[in-house]
Amino acid sequence: MTTADRIHALPTESAFVLLAREGSDSVELLTGEIVDVVDLADIPLGADGARREVFALVPYRQVRERGFEAQDDGAPLRCLLVDEHLHLPADEVRAALPAEPLPLHDGGFDLSDDEYAAIVERVIAEEIGRGEGANFVIRRDYTARIDAATPETERIAALTWFRALLEHERGAYWTFAVVTPGVVAVGASPEAHVVAQGGVVTMNPISGTFRHPAGGSTTAALGEFLSSAKETEELFMVVDEELKMMSAVCSDGGRITGPHLKQMSRLTHTEYMLRGSSRLDPRDILRETMFAPTVTGSPMQNACTVIRRHERKPRGYYSGVAALFTPNDAGGHDLDAPILIRTVYLADGRLSVPVGATLVRHSDPAGEVGETHGKAAGVLGAIGAVARDTAAESREDPDAPSPAGTPAEDPGIQALLASRNARLAEFWINPQDGGAQSTAAAPFAGRTAVVVDAEDRFTTMLAHQLRHLGLEVHIQPWAQSDDAEIDAADLLVAGPGPGDPRDGSSARIARMRELVARRRASGRPLLAVCLSHQILADSLGIELAPLASPHQGLQKSVPVFGQDASIGFYNTFTARVTPGTTAVGVAEVSADPGSGDVYALRGPGFASVQGHLESILSRDGMTTLQRLVGHALEGR
């Protein structure tokens, strides 16, 4: 049977996936039975000897498996149990697909520009401005309809749009068409969220969007984009957030490489690669990494709460993943899971293109409105539903370098990219030795620590660093924290979290106050970080106040007991003393000489720090952490 025959033979009611992966000259055709399951653990991979390949569409609502909030729209966790997996020549598949553009009708956003701008303003003021997180992604949907709402017309639409993507889109990680009863999705995802292959886990945080100007990109325009504080901070924040996930699933915590430029037909992004080792079931890896901060925000748990508060309707599959589980020679399954963005959904003749903007403290509401317009136009242009960029279409290959080379290859651009790493912590850039250092060479070998997570998974990175210092570490969520285990630990690390430390109505903050007070009263070693540092300061009678401008993803060089340290900050509130104050009661104070903002405290059996020593932005994080832990444990 020819390739054309195979494509044309796909019956209207059948379920199938067409998939073109980056760097491949083939299109994969997957067919089989559809099964919907409840949880990721239910994905039917089969037992040894009967293992099977499974393709899954994982909706955003599955994030509830992590205990996070999500509106429940009932979008199914849909699995295609693969009976046949063919690799077909891409040019033959393209030739066999329908090419006539499909007209769209009644197109427009579900939220007006003014409505969306108002939401942006509220999120910046009420969420970022009140310490609920560093960044949040709020989406809106472009919607339209096609001429008829039948399974056959929807199948034709999917095949037509897939052909357009094959012809015109460049640089996508996956280009795909998923056709199942009631769920049709066509897209070109630029980003591999998580890949697990041969015991190696890879994540690919991508951030920043440089839209190629009319006439093509220039070195000057690209350099201006790379010099943007907003774009740089946005990328560092998503790397931090994905390192939290890597530290939860990888024994060696994850190592970053990059940054690189991700070039597509009409857009360029900046990206890092994160790699680590893991022996977890791929379904568990997928669960612990739901979902990408580039399409949700950070800290992840509170980002889900903020999305629930401000988005008008459930997300469906937007920001979820497509996941392919493939049996491997080791008796398990490899995982390949890109993010479901740059995707068109079709149901009952209605087209939907969800797009979102990443909101940070620098965000301009009008600019974020424009960002959503640009992203929607990019998707619609890629599928041939609206006119494409004529400059990009003027060459046979839109991404072919000009005779002078592309701006991305310019030495100045490469130097600008490379300079970013000079700001970052070598701990996360250099190869690591597999995790815990329990040998006598580690400074705190043989000691134990409990880290209490106050709803910021920075604790996974912090725990990984503590293990490198020799400590045996256990993380406890604040709501399940166990007093007996905490009391028995050599060190309590009261962790960071979102919110106002003065909030008298929060059960989470009340529990963190209780833990800090209980530990201080016992005289046992305590390290308090960020939110818990503020709580400790308050217990010492130090004033707490909001910052004039939130420090979300901000790197500063600050004094820490006689030594300057380059540290990353994610705080909206601060403990503050009169400038020049060096002690409050039993506590020694290290504060900003001008503002009095308190960066660190230490006293009998305790130490604290406002910044995140575990962040990639903390170039001096490990040395400062060792100093503070040493003081708490040993008074030195």
Side-chain angles (χ1 to χ4, degrees):
M1 183 181 292
T2 67
T3 297
D5 289 339
R6 289 188 182 278
I7 299 297
H8 294 307
L10 292 170
T12 298
E13 300 297 333
S14 70
F16 62 89
V17 175
L18 289 169
L19 167 61
R21 302 197 219 196
E22 187 176 26
S24 174
D25 59 0
S26 68
V27 171
E28 300 167 55
L29 172 60
L30 289 69
T31 56
E33 176 191 359
I34 290 294
V35 174
D36 293 341
V37 299
V38 176
D39 294 323
L40 292 173
D42 301 324
I43 294 174
L45 301 184
D48 287 345
R51 293 175 299 128
R52 70 184 310 160
E53 188 170 36
V54 177
F55 174 91
L57 281 177
V58 183
Y60 173 75
R61 73 185 187 100
Q62 296 301 135
V63 80
R64 296 178 305 157
E65 290 193 46
R66 295 187 65 186
F68 301 170
E69 289 188 36
Q71 296 185 61
D72 189 0
D73 55 358
L77 173 46
R78 175 146 294 180
C79 299
L80 175 73
L81 310 185
V82 180
D83 291 327
E84 186 174 43
H85 187 157
L86 302 176
H87 292 257
L88 307 173
D91 57 347
E92 294 181 14
V93 171
R94 189 163 50 244
L97 295 173
E100 185 69 23
L102 296 174
L104 300 183
H105 308 284
D106 304 327
F109 282 101
D110 58 343
L111 297 175
S112 72
D113 288 354
D114 288 344
E115 289 175 307
Y116 187 75
I119 293 173
V120 171
E121 290 178 344
R122 287 199 299 274
V123 170
I124 294 170
E126 299 174 9
E127 307 295 357
I128 297 174
R130 295 180 182 174
E132 297 300 329
N135 59 87
F136 302 109
V137 179
I138 301 298
R139 73 90 166 67
R140 63 197 298 216
D141 294 353
Y142 182 91
T143 63
R145 63 177 177 83
I146 61 174
D147 280 326
T150 68
E152 175 61 16
T153 56
E154 292 185 354
R155 172 182 173 277
I156 292 171
L159 296 177
T160 303
W161 296 337
F162 182 68
R163 174 175 177 151
L165 291 174
L166 290 179
E167 289 181 335
H168 300 288
E169 191 59 39
R170 301 290 185 272
Y173 180 70
W174 269 25
T175 302
F176 57 89
V178 181
V179 178
T180 71
V183 177
V184 174
V186 184
S189 175
E191 190 170 348
H193 175 51
V194 62
V195 176
Q197 188 172 20
V200 176
V201 175
T202 304
M203 298 185 75
N204 178 208
I206 294 176
S207 191
T209 300
F210 172 61
R211 192 163 289 103
H212 301 167
S217 177
T218 65
T219 299
L222 183 56
E224 182 179 358
F225 162 74
L226 293 176
S227 300
S228 164
K230 176 184 182 295
E231 302 294 354
T232 302
E233 290 178 6
E234 191 176 305
L235 178 60
F236 288 156
M237 284 189 279
V238 298
V239 172
D240 260 339
E241 194 68 22
E242 293 203 5
L243 274 173
K244 298 175 188 179
M245 298 175 179
M246 292 289 287
S247 294
V249 301
C250 296
S251 60
D252 52 357
R255 175 195 177 199
I256 70 172
T257 58
H260 310 289
L261 291 177
K262 176 78 171 179
Q263 298 184 82
M264 303 187 71
S265 297
R266 296 160 186 82
L267 305 171
T268 294
H269 305 283
T270 46
E271 66 177 359
Y272 278 92
M273 298 298 296
L274 314 182
R275 289 185 176 87
S277 301
S278 179
R279 296 182 178 179
L280 293 179
D281 184 294
R283 292 166 293 192
D284 295 331
I285 291 172
L286 186 54
R287 182 184 305 105
E288 290 301 314
T289 59
M290 294 191 299
F291 284 114
T294 50
V295 282
T296 52
S298 64
M300 176 68 196
Q301 183 167 355
N302 216 41
C304 293
T305 302
V306 170
I307 288 168
R308 175 69 185 268
R309 276 201 288 262
H310 293 277
E311 289 190 353
R312 302 280 181 85
K313 61 185 181 183
R315 285 195 162 197
Y317 292 96
Y318 172 71
S319 72
V321 297
L324 183 61
F325 299 87
T326 303
N328 58 32
D329 294 338
H333 284 76
D334 292 333
L335 168 67
D336 191 1
I339 303 173
L340 286 171
I341 54 174
R342 308 274 174 81
T343 300
V344 179
Y345 300 94
L346 188 58
D348 299 323
R350 297 293 300 179
L351 168 149
S352 175
V353 181
V355 292
T358 300
L359 313 183
V360 298
R361 59 193 176 96
H362 296 303
S363 287
D364 168 61
E368 303 302 353
V369 167
E371 181 82 3
T372 60
H373 277 273
K375 287 180 176 177
V379 175
L380 294 169
I383 65 171
V386 299
R388 299 184 181 90
D389 185 325
T390 55
E393 295 299 312
S394 65
R395 301 193 307 271
E396 181 178 348
D397 180 353
D399 289 317
S402 66
T406 66
E409 296 168 340
D410 183 87
I413 294 295
Q414 291 299 313
L416 190 58
L417 270 177
S419 68
R420 293 185 173 191
N421 284 357
R423 300 174 53 188
L424 304 184
E426 291 185 359
F427 179 82
W428 299 108
I429 296 175
N430 294 333
Q432 299 176 18
D433 63 359
Q437 296 180 3
S438 57
T439 67
F444 308 119
R447 308 288 188 92
T448 61
V450 168
V451 179
V452 177
D453 187 330
E455 295 186 7
D456 188 337
R457 295 299 297 273
F458 260 131
T459 49
T460 62
M461 295 169 67
L462 184 58
H464 184 65
Q465 288 184 320
L466 292 169
R467 293 183 184 111
H468 271 258
L469 295 175
L471 290 142
E472 180 184 332
V473 184
H474 179 216
I475 300 175
Q476 293 187 2
W478 70 269
Q480 287 83 47
S481 52
D482 179 79
D483 286 340
E485 185 175 353
I486 290 171
D487 291 344
D490 295 318
L491 176 69
L492 168 63
V493 180
D500 185 340
R502 305 165 302 178
D503 187 351
S505 63
S506 167
R508 174 173 53 85
I509 289 176
R511 176 56 173 163
M512 298 309 292
R513 286 180 184 148
E514 177 189 353
L515 289 172
V516 167
R518 178 189 177 94
R519 192 69 175 188
R520 279 199 63 212
S522 74
R524 302 270 287 159
L526 166 70
L527 175 67
V529 178
C530 197
L531 174 70
S532 295
H533 156 85
Q534 297 162 6
I535 288 171
L536 173 64
D538 183 59
S539 73
L540 293 165
I542 298 173
E543 174 194 7
L544 301 181
L547 293 163
S549 177
H551 292 169
Q552 296 293 351
L554 182 67
Q555 185 181 53
K556 296 178 65 176
S557 182
V558 302
V560 180
F561 305 117
Q563 294 183 25
D564 286 342
S566 180
I567 295 173
F569 288 83
Y570 287 84
N571 64 300
T572 300
F573 296 87
T574 185
R576 184 171 289 155
V577 295
T578 302
T581 300
T582 58
V584 173
V586 298
E588 185 180 353
V589 177
S590 188
D592 187 280
S595 66
D597 291 350
V598 178
Y599 298 128
L601 297 165
R602 65 184 183 188
F606 67 83
S608 71
V609 63
Q610 176 61 76
H612 285 264
L613 304 180
E614 66 280 8
S615 167
I616 61 165
L617 291 170
S618 292
R619 197 170 61 235
D620 300 314
M622 277 296 286
T623 55
T624 306
L625 179 64
Q626 183 171 339
R627 289 177 62 209
L628 295 178
V629 171
H631 175 86
L633 283 172
E634 301 166 1
R636 61 171 173 79

